[in-house]
Amino acid sequence: MMMALEEQIRNYAYQLWEKAGKPEGRDEEFWRAAKAELGAEDEAAGTTDQPNRTILPG
């Protein structure tokens, strides 16, 4: 995993943890949630670089 991505995940997990009221013992839950959300954002960002291959009728 790239260090920049890991840092983004860490920061976002911390934000999620704070918003949830800083519950103890749920660090892995917030890490997974942050990783999933940022991963989804990375995939969505990656698709914008691809050419649009939709064939329009007509």
Side-chain angles (χ1 to χ4, degrees):
M1 181 181 302
M2 296 178 355
M3 292 300 284
L5 179 58
E6 187 172 335
E7 187 173 341
Q8 286 180 316
I9 293 169
R10 182 181 302 111
N11 290 336
Y12 190 54
Y14 185 80
Q15 290 174 6
L16 294 174
W17 176 73
E18 283 187 314
K19 287 180 184 178
K22 301 179 182 180
E24 291 186 32
R26 293 175 53 193
D27 53 322
E28 289 183 25
E29 175 187 342
F30 292 109
W31 181 270
R32 284 191 303 268
K35 186 175 179 180
E37 289 187 41
L38 291 174
E41 289 177 11
D42 287 345
E43 288 177 16
T47 59
T48 59
D49 294 338
Q50 300 296 320
N52 185 352
R53 297 184 186 258
T54 305
I55 300 173
L56 300 175

